[in-house]
DNA sequence: TAGATTGTTAATCGATTAACAATC
DNA sequence: TAGATTGTTAATCGATTAACAATC
């Protein structure tokens, strides 16, 4: 065994990996980082799974998509597994990220410490309101929206966060795509269309509350 | 047909409805609300699905969990389907919601207009910092955290949003559960444990970027 | 009527779990 | 060694899709 630990296979069979697996990897990573802070050196699929109500088999299967990271009889070395998962998620490197739209939400995201810790550095912000531009917020320079495309192209920015009003979102995304962006997290409550090769994650805060409403009204048993 | 439209079955077989279906209902609702603004009166499973890259069969199946809402040969009446989905999600009524933690993110959520539109009214905010309490932000009163339990109990608040630091989240949730909360949206990047009967939705902003990072690194084809 | 589209069944596809030999 | 735990296979479970009679 250990072929992947010793000689990591970079050609992940990504088309076969379910999206749900990737979400769970992020959850594992978050808990592993907590465990390492608490000084724990090894963990097991049973321990990791029980934190989320997953079976041990599911944890092992999730990791098995990407290689062999554990030691039979021992479990997983926490530090090692953190490194492995970061490698899988692509957060072993640091990403330069921009934010478009400096309203309430954009400003909050600018100041959010959680990004930096996970390998995402906000290097620029953009807004159409001249009153907000050519300043710095939380140490991040705020530019006029007119400079968006240039910035993305010249700085080779790959990831962007959209926090503009719903009406403006599609146009902003179109500009980003034109400028060569690779992925977008969209907080505007609107469905965005874009080329298949550009990655999109949508986060709709009202929808999260709707999901909660349904769960409460229907008294779901949660795991 | 039409038994459910005429005599809605309130006993949804909720345990059989996959979580993914509920997420899609929220997406359908958002697009239906846009269609109604654009003056469209009817839609079809094909149109609705194509907006998201879903098959028409999937859209019909999703709705079929809850009743019969369409008209063969015609499709779905947009207004009618909006009403039906709101009924399913429980957002035909308005919910009173509180926010705990008035940092950058909490403040942004306080001012977020999208909640009100979907039937969620923020009626109180709570923080441990005396400098922030006994004021109003965006028309919402901010109280000391000590008043949290009393407020939830006496006002019979059912839904709460947590935007406190990770370290404080579990304690806040414990207080809310004790005070009788029914559901929580947690923005703190930490795994929360709570009784099975209390509903929990976790939103981790850094995890959203991690998911994007993986997708970009692995050049996923999106639908 | 002919064309469109639903709701639903059966077939397909994919994900989860249980079990266990291999390993430390 | 005995106990613990992995990675993986086969069986199970669940979700999606294709197809079509029923309906407008």
């Amino acid at each position: 065994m250990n072929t992947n630990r010793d000689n990591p296979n970079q050609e992940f069979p990504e088309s076969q990996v379910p999206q749900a697996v990737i979400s769970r990897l992020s959850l594992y990573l978050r808990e592993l980082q907590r465990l390492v802070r608490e000084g724990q050196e090894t963990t097991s699929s049973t321990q990791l799974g029980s934190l989320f109500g997953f079976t041990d088999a599911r944890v092992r299967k999730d990791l098995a998509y990407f290689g062999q990271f554990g030691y039979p009889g021992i479990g997983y070395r926490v530090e090692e597994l953190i490194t492995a998962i970061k490698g899988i998620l692509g957060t072993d490197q640091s990403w330069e990220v921009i934010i478009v739209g400096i309203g309430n939400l954009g400003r909050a995201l600018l100041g959010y410490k959680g990004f930096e810790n996970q390998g995402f550095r906000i290097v620029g912000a953009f807004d159409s309101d001249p009153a907000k531009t050519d300043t710095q917020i939380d140490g991040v320079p705020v530019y006029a929206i007119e400079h968006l495309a240039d910035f993305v192209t010249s700085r080779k920015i790959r990831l962007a966060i959209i926090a503009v009003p719903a009406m403006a979102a599609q146009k902003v995304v179109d500009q980003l795509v034109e400028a060569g962006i690779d992925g977008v997290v969209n907080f505007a409550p609107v469905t965005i269309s874009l080329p298949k090769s550009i990655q999109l994650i949508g986060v709709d805060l009202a929808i999260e509350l709707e999901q909660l409403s349904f769960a409460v009204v229907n008294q779901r048993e949660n795991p």
Side-chain angles (χ1 to χ4, degrees), chain A residues 12 14 17 19 22-23 26 30-31 88-89 95 104 108 118 158 190-191 196 198-199 201 204 208 210-211 213-214 216 218 220-222:
Chain A
F12 298 140
E14 79 277 355
V17 182
Q19 169 60 40
I22 316 302
S23 299
S26 278
R30 197 176 68 185
E31 285 308 303
I88 294 164
L89 294 174
W95 294 83
N104 278 329
Q118 297 305 321
R158 302 185 65 189
V190 65
T191 302
K196 283 210 310 288
I198 313 294
Q199 306 300 324
I201 304 269
D204 187 316
E208 304 294 349
E210 281 175 4
Q211 300 295 303
S213 165
F214 176 85
V216 165
N218 293 279
R220 296 211 144 188
E221 289 281 299
N222 57 40

PDB file of all heavy atoms in Angstrom, chain A residues 12 14 17 19 22-23 26 30-31 88-89 95 104 108 118 158 190-191 196 198-199 201 204 208 210-211 213-214 216 218 220-222:
ATOM      1  N   PHE A  12      -6.337  12.765 -10.612  1.00  0.00           N
ATOM      2  CA  PHE A  12      -7.521  12.291  -9.912  1.00  0.00           C
ATOM      3  C   PHE A  12      -8.585  11.919 -10.934  1.00  0.00           C
ATOM      4  O   PHE A  12      -8.797  12.650 -11.896  1.00  0.00           O
ATOM      5  CB  PHE A  12      -8.072  13.377  -8.989  1.00  0.00           C
ATOM      6  CG  PHE A  12      -7.110  13.776  -7.918  1.00  0.00           C
ATOM      7  CD1 PHE A  12      -6.978  15.111  -7.566  1.00  0.00           C
ATOM      8  CD2 PHE A  12      -6.331  12.832  -7.258  1.00  0.00           C
ATOM      9  CE1 PHE A  12      -6.085  15.493  -6.578  1.00  0.00           C
ATOM     10  CE2 PHE A  12      -5.436  13.213  -6.265  1.00  0.00           C
ATOM     11  CZ  PHE A  12      -5.317  14.532  -5.932  1.00  0.00           C
ATOM     12  N   GLU A  14     -11.401  12.611 -11.472  1.00  0.00           N
ATOM     13  CA  GLU A  14     -12.362  13.556 -10.885  1.00  0.00           C
ATOM     14  C   GLU A  14     -13.789  13.356 -11.374  1.00  0.00           C
ATOM     15  O   GLU A  14     -14.734  13.575 -10.645  1.00  0.00           O
ATOM     16  CB  GLU A  14     -11.926  15.004 -11.125  1.00  0.00           C
ATOM     17  CG  GLU A  14     -12.211  15.576 -12.493  1.00  0.00           C
ATOM     18  CD  GLU A  14     -11.144  15.200 -13.509  1.00  0.00           C
ATOM     19  OE1 GLU A  14     -10.141  14.568 -13.130  1.00  0.00           O
ATOM     20  OE2 GLU A  14     -11.335  15.530 -14.690  1.00  0.00           O
ATOM     21  N   VAL A  17     -15.729  11.187  -9.029  1.00  0.00           N
ATOM     22  CA  VAL A  17     -15.894  11.538  -7.629  1.00  0.00           C
ATOM     23  C   VAL A  17     -17.168  12.353  -7.432  1.00  0.00           C
ATOM     24  O   VAL A  17     -17.308  13.425  -8.001  1.00  0.00           O
ATOM     25  CB  VAL A  17     -14.686  12.359  -7.125  1.00  0.00           C
ATOM     26  CG1 VAL A  17     -14.844  12.669  -5.659  1.00  0.00           C
ATOM     27  CG2 VAL A  17     -13.388  11.618  -7.387  1.00  0.00           C
ATOM     28  N   GLN A  19     -19.834  14.927  -6.051  1.00  0.00           N
ATOM     29  CA  GLN A  19     -19.717  16.241  -5.424  1.00  0.00           C
ATOM     30  C   GLN A  19     -19.827  16.135  -3.906  1.00  0.00           C
ATOM     31  O   GLN A  19     -19.116  16.816  -3.167  1.00  0.00           O
ATOM     32  CB  GLN A  19     -20.821  17.163  -5.970  1.00  0.00           C
ATOM     33  CG  GLN A  19     -21.000  18.492  -5.244  1.00  0.00           C
ATOM     34  CD  GLN A  19     -19.746  19.331  -5.279  1.00  0.00           C
ATOM     35  OE1 GLN A  19     -19.056  19.399  -6.283  1.00  0.00           O
ATOM     36  NE2 GLN A  19     -19.422  19.979  -4.158  1.00  0.00           N
ATOM     37  N   ILE A  22     -16.609  15.654  -2.025  1.00  0.00           N
ATOM     38  CA  ILE A  22     -15.755  16.839  -1.877  1.00  0.00           C
ATOM     39  C   ILE A  22     -16.234  17.708  -0.717  1.00  0.00           C
ATOM     40  O   ILE A  22     -15.430  18.237   0.052  1.00  0.00           O
ATOM     41  CB  ILE A  22     -15.725  17.658  -3.179  1.00  0.00           C
ATOM     42  CG1 ILE A  22     -15.559  16.757  -4.405  1.00  0.00           C
ATOM     43  CG2 ILE A  22     -14.617  18.696  -3.145  1.00  0.00           C
ATOM     44  CD1 ILE A  22     -14.337  15.913  -4.373  1.00  0.00           C
ATOM     45  N   SER A  23     -17.547  17.856  -0.581  1.00  0.00           N
ATOM     46  CA  SER A  23     -18.076  18.607   0.557  1.00  0.00           C
ATOM     47  C   SER A  23     -17.639  17.980   1.874  1.00  0.00           C
ATOM     48  O   SER A  23     -17.253  18.675   2.817  1.00  0.00           O
ATOM     49  CB  SER A  23     -19.605  18.648   0.521  1.00  0.00           C
ATOM     50  OG  SER A  23     -20.040  19.294  -0.643  1.00  0.00           O
ATOM     51  N   SER A  26     -14.038  18.709   2.953  1.00  0.00           N
ATOM     52  CA  SER A  26     -13.879  20.001   3.618  1.00  0.00           C
ATOM     53  C   SER A  26     -14.268  19.912   5.095  1.00  0.00           C
ATOM     54  O   SER A  26     -13.619  20.510   5.950  1.00  0.00           O
ATOM     55  CB  SER A  26     -14.738  21.069   2.927  1.00  0.00           C
ATOM     56  OG  SER A  26     -14.075  21.576   1.779  1.00  0.00           O
ATOM     57  N   ARG A  30     -11.777  20.516   8.339  1.00  0.00           N
ATOM     58  CA  ARG A  30     -12.045  21.452   9.434  1.00  0.00           C
ATOM     59  C   ARG A  30     -11.887  20.774  10.790  1.00  0.00           C
ATOM     60  O   ARG A  30     -11.288  21.343  11.713  1.00  0.00           O
ATOM     61  CB  ARG A  30     -13.470  22.017   9.268  1.00  0.00           C
ATOM     62  CG  ARG A  30     -13.726  23.256  10.050  1.00  0.00           C
ATOM     63  CD  ARG A  30     -15.119  23.805   9.760  1.00  0.00           C
ATOM     64  NE  ARG A  30     -16.164  22.933  10.259  1.00  0.00           N
ATOM     65  CZ  ARG A  30     -17.472  23.136  10.047  1.00  0.00           C
ATOM     66  NH1 ARG A  30     -17.875  24.179   9.326  1.00  0.00           N
ATOM     67  NH2 ARG A  30     -18.364  22.311  10.530  1.00  0.00           N
ATOM     68  N   GLU A  31     -12.400  19.560  10.908  1.00  0.00           N
ATOM     69  CA  GLU A  31     -12.299  18.862  12.191  1.00  0.00           C
ATOM     70  C   GLU A  31     -10.879  18.390  12.464  1.00  0.00           C
ATOM     71  O   GLU A  31     -10.422  18.404  13.609  1.00  0.00           O
ATOM     72  CB  GLU A  31     -13.264  17.676  12.236  1.00  0.00           C
ATOM     73  CG  GLU A  31     -14.714  18.093  12.438  1.00  0.00           C
ATOM     74  CD  GLU A  31     -14.906  19.018  13.630  1.00  0.00           C
ATOM     75  OE1 GLU A  31     -14.522  18.627  14.753  1.00  0.00           O
ATOM     76  OE2 GLU A  31     -15.405  20.140  13.442  1.00  0.00           O
ATOM     77  N   ILE A  88      -5.625  17.631  -2.187  1.00  0.00           N
ATOM     78  CA  ILE A  88      -6.766  17.245  -3.019  1.00  0.00           C
ATOM     79  C   ILE A  88      -7.621  18.469  -3.367  1.00  0.00           C
ATOM     80  O   ILE A  88      -8.010  18.669  -4.512  1.00  0.00           O
ATOM     81  CB  ILE A  88      -7.634  16.194  -2.288  1.00  0.00           C
ATOM     82  CG1 ILE A  88      -6.853  14.887  -2.110  1.00  0.00           C
ATOM     83  CG2 ILE A  88      -8.941  15.958  -3.044  1.00  0.00           C
ATOM     84  CD1 ILE A  88      -7.448  13.939  -1.088  1.00  0.00           C
ATOM     85  N   LEU A  89      -7.884  19.285  -2.349  1.00  0.00           N
ATOM     86  CA  LEU A  89      -8.758  20.449  -2.557  1.00  0.00           C
ATOM     87  C   LEU A  89      -8.043  21.572  -3.310  1.00  0.00           C
ATOM     88  O   LEU A  89      -8.696  22.494  -3.811  1.00  0.00           O
ATOM     89  CB  LEU A  89      -9.264  20.978  -1.211  1.00  0.00           C
ATOM     90  CG  LEU A  89     -10.195  20.056  -0.422  1.00  0.00           C
ATOM     91  CD1 LEU A  89     -10.500  20.655   0.949  1.00  0.00           C
ATOM     92  CD2 LEU A  89     -11.498  19.796  -1.185  1.00  0.00           C
ATOM     93  N   TRP A  95      -4.431  31.002  -2.740  1.00  0.00           N
ATOM     94  CA  TRP A  95      -5.123  31.588  -3.886  1.00  0.00           C
ATOM     95  C   TRP A  95      -5.302  33.086  -3.692  1.00  0.00           C
ATOM     96  O   TRP A  95      -5.623  33.533  -2.597  1.00  0.00           O
ATOM     97  CB  TRP A  95      -6.512  30.968  -4.036  1.00  0.00           C
ATOM     98  CG  TRP A  95      -6.532  29.515  -4.399  1.00  0.00           C
ATOM     99  CD1 TRP A  95      -6.416  28.469  -3.548  1.00  0.00           C
ATOM    100  CD2 TRP A  95      -6.715  28.963  -5.714  1.00  0.00           C
ATOM    101  NE1 TRP A  95      -6.502  27.280  -4.243  1.00  0.00           N
ATOM    102  CE2 TRP A  95      -6.686  27.556  -5.568  1.00  0.00           C
ATOM    103  CE3 TRP A  95      -6.900  29.504  -6.976  1.00  0.00           C
ATOM    104  CZ2 TRP A  95      -6.828  26.686  -6.651  1.00  0.00           C
ATOM    105  CZ3 TRP A  95      -7.043  28.640  -8.056  1.00  0.00           C
ATOM    106  CH2 TRP A  95      -7.006  27.249  -7.891  1.00  0.00           C
ATOM    107  N   ASN A 104     -23.089  45.639   2.172  1.00  0.00           N
ATOM    108  CA  ASN A 104     -22.971  45.027   3.498  1.00  0.00           C
ATOM    109  C   ASN A 104     -22.228  43.703   3.446  1.00  0.00           C
ATOM    110  O   ASN A 104     -21.296  43.467   4.194  1.00  0.00           O
ATOM    111  CB  ASN A 104     -24.372  44.748   4.075  1.00  0.00           C
ATOM    112  CG  ASN A 104     -24.981  45.988   4.701  1.00  0.00           C
ATOM    113  OD1 ASN A 104     -24.270  46.840   5.213  1.00  0.00           O
ATOM    114  ND2 ASN A 104     -26.298  46.087   4.644  1.00  0.00           N
ATOM    115  N   ALA A 108     -18.401  42.504   4.663  1.00  0.00           N
ATOM    116  CA  ALA A 108     -18.237  41.446   5.661  1.00  0.00           C
ATOM    117  C   ALA A 108     -17.275  40.376   5.155  1.00  0.00           C
ATOM    118  O   ALA A 108     -16.429  39.887   5.893  1.00  0.00           O
ATOM    119  CB  ALA A 108     -19.590  40.821   6.008  1.00  0.00           C
ATOM    120  N   GLN A 118      -7.599  29.427   5.464  1.00  0.00           N
ATOM    121  CA  GLN A 118      -7.754  28.254   4.610  1.00  0.00           C
ATOM    122  C   GLN A 118      -7.047  28.419   3.265  1.00  0.00           C
ATOM    123  O   GLN A 118      -7.237  27.609   2.356  1.00  0.00           O
ATOM    124  CB  GLN A 118      -9.238  27.933   4.406  1.00  0.00           C
ATOM    125  CG  GLN A 118      -9.972  27.555   5.687  1.00  0.00           C
ATOM    126  CD  GLN A 118      -9.326  26.399   6.440  1.00  0.00           C
ATOM    127  OE1 GLN A 118      -8.846  25.446   5.842  1.00  0.00           O
ATOM    128  NE2 GLN A 118      -9.275  26.504   7.762  1.00  0.00           N
ATOM    129  N   ARG A 158      -7.675  33.980 -10.539  1.00  0.00           N
ATOM    130  CA  ARG A 158      -8.442  32.809 -10.965  1.00  0.00           C
ATOM    131  C   ARG A 158      -9.784  32.668 -10.256  1.00  0.00           C
ATOM    132  O   ARG A 158     -10.711  32.051 -10.773  1.00  0.00           O
ATOM    133  CB  ARG A 158      -7.611  31.539 -10.741  1.00  0.00           C
ATOM    134  CG  ARG A 158      -6.275  31.582 -11.501  1.00  0.00           C
ATOM    135  CD  ARG A 158      -5.518  30.275 -11.378  1.00  0.00           C
ATOM    136  NE  ARG A 158      -6.238  29.189 -12.032  1.00  0.00           N
ATOM    137  CZ  ARG A 158      -5.900  27.901 -11.946  1.00  0.00           C
ATOM    138  NH1 ARG A 158      -4.869  27.542 -11.198  1.00  0.00           N
ATOM    139  NH2 ARG A 158      -6.602  26.975 -12.573  1.00  0.00           N
ATOM    140  N   VAL A 190     -29.544  34.882  -7.705  1.00  0.00           N
ATOM    141  CA  VAL A 190     -29.985  34.800  -9.081  1.00  0.00           C
ATOM    142  C   VAL A 190     -29.198  33.679  -9.768  1.00  0.00           C
ATOM    143  O   VAL A 190     -28.061  33.387  -9.392  1.00  0.00           O
ATOM    144  CB  VAL A 190     -29.750  36.159  -9.797  1.00  0.00           C
ATOM    145  CG1 VAL A 190     -28.266  36.469  -9.896  1.00  0.00           C
ATOM    146  CG2 VAL A 190     -30.396  36.204 -11.147  1.00  0.00           C
ATOM    147  N   THR A 191     -29.834  33.037 -10.715  1.00  0.00           N
ATOM    148  CA  THR A 191     -29.163  31.965 -11.443  1.00  0.00           C
ATOM    149  C   THR A 191     -28.296  32.558 -12.542  1.00  0.00           C
ATOM    150  O   THR A 191     -28.758  33.372 -13.332  1.00  0.00           O
ATOM    151  CB  THR A 191     -30.200  31.002 -12.063  1.00  0.00           C
ATOM    152  OG1 THR A 191     -31.014  30.484 -11.010  1.00  0.00           O
ATOM    153  CG2 THR A 191     -29.514  29.836 -12.775  1.00  0.00           C
ATOM    154  N   LYS A 196     -19.309  26.164 -19.690  1.00  0.00           N
ATOM    155  CA  LYS A 196     -19.135  24.938 -18.907  1.00  0.00           C
ATOM    156  C   LYS A 196     -17.762  24.854 -18.244  1.00  0.00           C
ATOM    157  O   LYS A 196     -17.603  24.233 -17.213  1.00  0.00           O
ATOM    158  CB  LYS A 196     -19.284  23.707 -19.818  1.00  0.00           C
ATOM    159  CG  LYS A 196     -20.697  23.346 -20.188  1.00  0.00           C
ATOM    160  CD  LYS A 196     -20.843  21.843 -20.427  1.00  0.00           C
ATOM    161  CE  LYS A 196     -19.807  21.253 -21.361  1.00  0.00           C
ATOM    162  NZ  LYS A 196     -19.977  21.620 -22.777  1.00  0.00           N
ATOM    163  N   ILE A 198     -16.046  27.181 -16.847  1.00  0.00           N
ATOM    164  CA  ILE A 198     -15.877  28.048 -15.685  1.00  0.00           C
ATOM    165  C   ILE A 198     -16.664  27.469 -14.519  1.00  0.00           C
ATOM    166  O   ILE A 198     -17.816  27.078 -14.672  1.00  0.00           O
ATOM    167  CB  ILE A 198     -16.384  29.479 -15.968  1.00  0.00           C
ATOM    168  CG1 ILE A 198     -15.870  29.989 -17.318  1.00  0.00           C
ATOM    169  CG2 ILE A 198     -16.000  30.416 -14.829  1.00  0.00           C
ATOM    170  CD1 ILE A 198     -14.404  30.185 -17.396  1.00  0.00           C
ATOM    171  N   GLN A 199     -16.031  27.420 -13.357  1.00  0.00           N
ATOM    172  CA  GLN A 199     -16.665  26.799 -12.194  1.00  0.00           C
ATOM    173  C   GLN A 199     -17.506  27.817 -11.436  1.00  0.00           C
ATOM    174  O   GLN A 199     -17.110  28.978 -11.297  1.00  0.00           O
ATOM    175  CB  GLN A 199     -15.589  26.224 -11.269  1.00  0.00           C
ATOM    176  CG  GLN A 199     -14.637  25.287 -11.982  1.00  0.00           C
ATOM    177  CD  GLN A 199     -15.350  24.096 -12.593  1.00  0.00           C
ATOM    178  OE1 GLN A 199     -16.314  23.592 -12.020  1.00  0.00           O
ATOM    179  NE2 GLN A 199     -14.887  23.641 -13.752  1.00  0.00           N
ATOM    180  N   ILE A 201     -19.988  28.306  -7.860  1.00  0.00           N
ATOM    181  CA  ILE A 201     -20.635  27.861  -6.630  1.00  0.00           C
ATOM    182  C   ILE A 201     -21.626  28.949  -6.259  1.00  0.00           C
ATOM    183  O   ILE A 201     -21.270  30.125  -6.199  1.00  0.00           O
ATOM    184  CB  ILE A 201     -19.611  27.709  -5.479  1.00  0.00           C
ATOM    185  CG1 ILE A 201     -18.480  26.767  -5.868  1.00  0.00           C
ATOM    186  CG2 ILE A 201     -20.309  27.292  -4.186  1.00  0.00           C
ATOM    187  CD1 ILE A 201     -18.684  25.328  -5.538  1.00  0.00           C
ATOM    188  N   ASP A 204     -26.920  31.134  -1.589  1.00  0.00           N
ATOM    189  CA  ASP A 204     -28.084  32.016  -1.442  1.00  0.00           C
ATOM    190  C   ASP A 204     -28.528  31.973   0.014  1.00  0.00           C
ATOM    191  O   ASP A 204     -29.033  30.959   0.501  1.00  0.00           O
ATOM    192  CB  ASP A 204     -29.198  31.541  -2.374  1.00  0.00           C
ATOM    193  CG  ASP A 204     -30.370  32.508  -2.403  1.00  0.00           C
ATOM    194  OD1 ASP A 204     -30.772  32.979  -1.313  1.00  0.00           O
ATOM    195  OD2 ASP A 204     -30.887  32.793  -3.497  1.00  0.00           O
ATOM    196  N   GLU A 208     -30.904  29.232   2.421  1.00  0.00           N
ATOM    197  CA  GLU A 208     -30.507  28.483   3.613  1.00  0.00           C
ATOM    198  C   GLU A 208     -31.603  28.544   4.669  1.00  0.00           C
ATOM    199  O   GLU A 208     -31.929  27.543   5.313  1.00  0.00           O
ATOM    200  CB  GLU A 208     -29.199  29.043   4.199  1.00  0.00           C
ATOM    201  CG  GLU A 208     -28.024  29.076   3.234  1.00  0.00           C
ATOM    202  CD  GLU A 208     -27.533  27.698   2.800  1.00  0.00           C
ATOM    203  OE1 GLU A 208     -27.951  26.701   3.400  1.00  0.00           O
ATOM    204  OE2 GLU A 208     -26.737  27.636   1.835  1.00  0.00           O
ATOM    205  N   GLU A 210     -34.768  29.058   4.040  1.00  0.00           N
ATOM    206  CA  GLU A 210     -35.895  28.266   3.524  1.00  0.00           C
ATOM    207  C   GLU A 210     -35.719  26.789   3.827  1.00  0.00           C
ATOM    208  O   GLU A 210     -36.677  26.095   4.195  1.00  0.00           O
ATOM    209  CB  GLU A 210     -36.037  28.464   2.008  1.00  0.00           C
ATOM    210  CG  GLU A 210     -36.715  29.757   1.610  1.00  0.00           C
ATOM    211  CD  GLU A 210     -36.732  29.956   0.099  1.00  0.00           C
ATOM    212  OE1 GLU A 210     -36.277  29.054  -0.642  1.00  0.00           O
ATOM    213  OE2 GLU A 210     -37.184  31.018  -0.344  1.00  0.00           O
ATOM    214  N   GLN A 211     -34.483  26.303   3.655  1.00  0.00           N
ATOM    215  CA  GLN A 211     -34.225  24.892   3.952  1.00  0.00           C
ATOM    216  C   GLN A 211     -34.467  24.597   5.429  1.00  0.00           C
ATOM    217  O   GLN A 211     -35.012  23.562   5.793  1.00  0.00           O
ATOM    218  CB  GLN A 211     -32.780  24.532   3.579  1.00  0.00           C
ATOM    219  CG  GLN A 211     -32.442  24.749   2.118  1.00  0.00           C
ATOM    220  CD  GLN A 211     -33.231  23.829   1.199  1.00  0.00           C
ATOM    221  OE1 GLN A 211     -33.168  22.626   1.332  1.00  0.00           O
ATOM    222  NE2 GLN A 211     -34.005  24.409   0.299  1.00  0.00           N
ATOM    223  N   SER A 213     -36.507  26.331   7.363  1.00  0.00           N
ATOM    224  CA  SER A 213     -37.959  26.413   7.550  1.00  0.00           C
ATOM    225  C   SER A 213     -38.626  25.084   7.232  1.00  0.00           C
ATOM    226  O   SER A 213     -39.422  24.563   8.016  1.00  0.00           O
ATOM    227  CB  SER A 213     -38.527  27.531   6.670  1.00  0.00           C
ATOM    228  OG  SER A 213     -39.928  27.419   6.548  1.00  0.00           O
ATOM    229  N   PHE A 214     -38.281  24.507   6.086  1.00  0.00           N
ATOM    230  CA  PHE A 214     -38.858  23.215   5.714  1.00  0.00           C
ATOM    231  C   PHE A 214     -38.558  22.158   6.773  1.00  0.00           C
ATOM    232  O   PHE A 214     -39.436  21.416   7.198  1.00  0.00           O
ATOM    233  CB  PHE A 214     -38.335  22.736   4.365  1.00  0.00           C
ATOM    234  CG  PHE A 214     -38.829  21.365   4.000  1.00  0.00           C
ATOM    235  CD1 PHE A 214     -40.045  21.187   3.376  1.00  0.00           C
ATOM    236  CD2 PHE A 214     -38.082  20.230   4.322  1.00  0.00           C
ATOM    237  CE1 PHE A 214     -40.521  19.921   3.063  1.00  0.00           C
ATOM    238  CE2 PHE A 214     -38.548  18.956   4.020  1.00  0.00           C
ATOM    239  CZ  PHE A 214     -39.768  18.811   3.392  1.00  0.00           C
ATOM    240  N   VAL A 216     -37.863  22.504   9.892  1.00  0.00           N
ATOM    241  CA  VAL A 216     -38.572  22.752  11.145  1.00  0.00           C
ATOM    242  C   VAL A 216     -40.058  22.390  11.011  1.00  0.00           C
ATOM    243  O   VAL A 216     -40.622  21.705  11.858  1.00  0.00           O
ATOM    244  CB  VAL A 216     -38.420  24.228  11.571  1.00  0.00           C
ATOM    245  CG1 VAL A 216     -39.431  24.604  12.638  1.00  0.00           C
ATOM    246  CG2 VAL A 216     -37.001  24.481  12.066  1.00  0.00           C
ATOM    247  N   ASN A 218     -41.397  20.333   9.031  1.00  0.00           N
ATOM    248  CA  ASN A 218     -41.597  18.906   8.835  1.00  0.00           C
ATOM    249  C   ASN A 218     -40.877  18.043   9.869  1.00  0.00           C
ATOM    250  O   ASN A 218     -40.817  16.825   9.727  1.00  0.00           O
ATOM    251  CB  ASN A 218     -41.158  18.511   7.426  1.00  0.00           C
ATOM    252  CG  ASN A 218     -42.060  19.123   6.376  1.00  0.00           C
ATOM    253  OD1 ASN A 218     -43.129  18.614   6.102  1.00  0.00           O
ATOM    254  ND2 ASN A 218     -41.633  20.261   5.821  1.00  0.00           N
ATOM    255  N   ARG A 220     -37.899  17.146  10.641  1.00  0.00           N
ATOM    256  CA  ARG A 220     -36.984  16.105  10.194  1.00  0.00           C
ATOM    257  C   ARG A 220     -36.141  15.595  11.352  1.00  0.00           C
ATOM    258  O   ARG A 220     -35.704  16.357  12.188  1.00  0.00           O
ATOM    259  CB  ARG A 220     -36.026  16.670   9.135  1.00  0.00           C
ATOM    260  CG  ARG A 220     -36.718  17.099   7.906  1.00  0.00           C
ATOM    261  CD  ARG A 220     -35.793  16.897   6.737  1.00  0.00           C
ATOM    262  NE  ARG A 220     -36.553  16.485   5.580  1.00  0.00           N
ATOM    263  CZ  ARG A 220     -35.998  16.088   4.446  1.00  0.00           C
ATOM    264  NH1 ARG A 220     -34.696  16.030   4.358  1.00  0.00           N
ATOM    265  NH2 ARG A 220     -36.734  15.739   3.430  1.00  0.00           N
ATOM    266  N   GLU A 221     -35.885  14.325  11.346  1.00  0.00           N
ATOM    267  CA  GLU A 221     -34.871  13.788  12.244  1.00  0.00           C
ATOM    268  C   GLU A 221     -33.514  14.059  11.602  1.00  0.00           C
ATOM    269  O   GLU A 221     -33.301  13.715  10.446  1.00  0.00           O
ATOM    270  CB  GLU A 221     -35.048  12.277  12.421  1.00  0.00           C
ATOM    271  CG  GLU A 221     -36.256  11.885  13.235  1.00  0.00           C
ATOM    272  CD  GLU A 221     -36.025  12.036  14.736  1.00  0.00           C
ATOM    273  OE1 GLU A 221     -35.137  11.372  15.264  1.00  0.00           O
ATOM    274  OE2 GLU A 221     -36.751  12.838  15.375  1.00  0.00           O
ATOM    275  N   ASN A 222     -32.634  14.693  12.332  1.00  0.00           N
ATOM    276  CA  ASN A 222     -31.311  14.865  11.735  1.00  0.00           C
ATOM    277  C   ASN A 222     -30.302  13.908  12.344  1.00  0.00           C
ATOM    278  O   ASN A 222     -30.513  13.378  13.427  1.00  0.00           O
ATOM    279  CB  ASN A 222     -30.860  16.330  11.795  1.00  0.00           C
ATOM    280  CG  ASN A 222     -30.847  16.860  13.202  1.00  0.00           C
ATOM    281  OD1 ASN A 222     -30.442  16.158  14.123  1.00  0.00           O
ATOM    282  ND2 ASN A 222     -31.286  18.086  13.398  1.00  0.00           N
TER     283      ASN A 222
END
